């Protein structure tokens, strides 16, 4: 588990009373309730929790739990620097990184995880339990088992966040959008050459096909998606602007700021300040 422990933080905590925790979190935190009951508060909105519930939390000090029955929490945290220098690993962490970015860019923190299908819920529960078991009783296979389980979790969550696609669009276009969203920072998987071959569409025709279905070019769609991710990461994390810019393919913080100003009329400092004042 040595390498996987460098990539994520997995913590199991048995609590009878909630206390603020100091945590470094550039993306978000997944929380699974192993046992117990109580009330969760996020950004001053409350909901009951019980065994087998799971949540996704932004980087925010405005969350807490009122524990009414002793509770065992499973916390999984993802942090920016864990995803650097991973070329020597056998696990595709670039794909993880793309999905983490996409989730934080389009996740609605006010409504919670958009998983309502019972089959999906049961699958998520099993994946969390596998991660818990590997943490509690590590073996020589724990790293790959944990990594595969987390990859599956990220895939399930990101697949529920696809933007609405017009009913006029065909199913293939929906698959293309999902592929782009889940690989948003992997430039090799976003090129016209790659997409046209993967989805069996003529290279010469692909750009026209995409624009006809999305009403914008492939380049515009990718840029818009990256900027929405940047906005949420600015608002919900403490990651420096320069790191957000580099991770999303912008030259530097100035380049990202100019793009934000052009598309949203606001720069990063104002976005972060506005969120803190809410």
């Amino acid at each position: 588990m040595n390498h996987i422990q460098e990539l994520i933080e997995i913590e199991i905590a048995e609590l009878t009373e909630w206390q603020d925790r100091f945590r470094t979190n550039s993306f978000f935190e997944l929380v699974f309730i192993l046992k117990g009951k109580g009330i969760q508060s996020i950004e001053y909105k409350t909901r009951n929790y019980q065994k087998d519930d799971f949540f996704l939390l932004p980087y925010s000090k405005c969350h807490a739990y009122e524990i009414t029955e002793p509770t065992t929490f499973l916390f999984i945290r993802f942090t920016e620097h864990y995803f650097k220098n991973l070329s020597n690993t056998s696990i595709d962490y670039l794909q993880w990184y793309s999905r983490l970015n996409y989730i934080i860019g389009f996740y609605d923190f006010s409504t919670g995880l958009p998983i309502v299908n019972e089959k999906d819920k049961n699958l998520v529960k099993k994946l969390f339990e596998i991660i818990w078991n590997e943490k509690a009783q590590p073996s020589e296979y724990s790293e790959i088992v944990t990594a595969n389980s987390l990859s599956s979790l990220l895939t399930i969550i990101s697949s529920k966040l696809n933007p609405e696609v017009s009913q006029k669009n065909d199913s293939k276009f929906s698959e293309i959008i999902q592929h782009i969203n889940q690989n948003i920072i992997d430039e090799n998987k976003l090129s016209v050459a790659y997409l046209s071959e993967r989805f069996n569409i003529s290279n010469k025709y692909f750009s026209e096909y995409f624009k006809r279905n999305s009403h914008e070019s492939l380049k515009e769609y990718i840029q818009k998606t990256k900027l929405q991710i940047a906005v949420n990461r600015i608002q919900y994390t403490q990651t420096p602007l320069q790191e957000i810019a580099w991770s999303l393919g912008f030259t530097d913080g100035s380049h990202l700021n100019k793009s934000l100003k052009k598309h949203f009329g606001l720069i990063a400092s104002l976005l972060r300040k506005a969120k803190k004042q809410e």
Side-chain angles (χ1 to χ4, degrees), residues 14-264:
E14 298 180 17
L15 303 175
T16 57
E17 183 179 355
W18 180 257
Q19 295 181 344
D20 288 338
R21 297 172 302 131
F22 296 98
R23 58 197 178 102
T24 302
N25 180 5
S26 295
F27 285 100
F28 50 76
E29 179 176 67
L30 288 170
V31 185
F32 185 73
I33 307 299
L34 294 167
K35 67 177 181 180
K37 294 180 180 178
I39 300 172
Q40 179 200 55
S41 174
I42 302 177
E43 300 291 338
Y44 309 108
K45 296 179 182 178
T46 61
R47 57 168 290 178
N48 294 330
Y49 75 80
Q50 60 185 355
K51 184 177 181 292
D52 295 338
D53 280 346
F54 50 93
F55 315 104
L56 186 154
L57 300 178
Y59 184 97
S60 171
K61 295 181 180 178
C62 298
H63 81 273
Y65 295 86
E66 180 182 333
I67 299 173
T68 58
E69 182 179 291
T71 300
T72 302
F73 297 90
L74 170 61
F75 300 105
I76 300 174
R77 290 184 287 276
F78 302 89
T79 305
E80 184 95 53
H81 70 269
Y82 295 149
F83 295 90
K84 296 178 180 177
N85 302 319
L86 298 174
S87 57
N88 294 325
T89 70
S90 60
I91 299 167
D92 187 359
Y93 288 111
L94 181 59
Q95 187 180 70
W96 281 33
Y97 197 40
S98 276
R99 291 179 183 177
L100 285 166
N101 271 289
Y102 182 70
I103 289 167
I104 200 170
F106 289 87
Y107 181 76
D108 186 346
F109 291 105
S110 66
T111 60
L113 284 172
I115 299 176
V116 296
N117 181 283
E118 285 301 319
K119 183 178 179 181
D120 289 339
K121 284 184 176 180
N122 289 332
L123 179 55
V124 168
K125 175 186 173 183
K126 288 178 182 177
L127 290 169
F128 271 113
E129 289 176 343
I130 290 170
I131 294 168
W132 177 34
N133 289 334
E134 295 303 323
K135 171 71 173 178
Q137 297 180 318
S139 70
E140 60 180 306
Y141 307 109
S142 290
E143 178 174 345
I144 192 67
V145 170
T146 300
N148 286 338
S149 298
L150 284 167
S151 179
S152 297
L153 272 173
L154 295 177
T155 299
I156 291 170
I157 295 170
S158 62
S159 70
K160 304 301 177 182
L161 303 178
N162 289 327
E164 293 184 8
V165 179
S166 170
Q167 293 182 351
K168 296 180 181 180
N169 298 131
D170 56 40
S171 59
K172 180 177 287 189
F173 184 72
S174 298
E175 292 175 8
I176 292 171
I177 290 296
Q178 180 168 321
H179 169 88
I180 293 171
N181 294 341
Q182 293 192 354
N183 296 278
I184 194 61
I185 64 166
D186 190 344
E187 296 294 338
N188 292 328
K189 294 181 180 179
L190 300 180
S191 68
V192 170
Y194 180 93
L195 293 168
S196 60
E197 181 177 356
R198 178 181 174 89
F199 294 98
N200 195 28
I201 298 173
S202 166
N203 192 310
K204 294 181 179 179
Y205 173 63
F206 184 88
S207 294
E208 178 186 337
Y209 169 81
F210 189 92
K211 191 164 187 176
R212 175 162 55 80
N213 282 276
S214 68
H215 308 295
E216 59 189 336
S217 70
L218 174 62
K219 182 178 180 180
E220 289 169 339
Y221 179 81
I222 293 171
Q223 178 82 342
K224 179 186 71 176
T225 302
K226 287 184 175 182
L227 286 173
Q228 181 57 56
I229 290 168
V231 168
N232 271 22
R233 288 188 64 187
I234 289 165
Q235 292 181 321
Y236 287 106
T237 80
Q238 292 186 341
T239 306
L241 180 64
Q242 194 83 328
E243 289 189 23
I244 295 175
W246 287 336
S247 71
L248 291 173
F250 294 91
T251 306
D252 52 28
S254 177
H255 180 202
L256 175 55
N257 254 331
K258 289 178 181 177
S259 299
L260 289 169
K261 178 83 175 198
K262 179 180 177 180
H263 286 79
F264 299 110

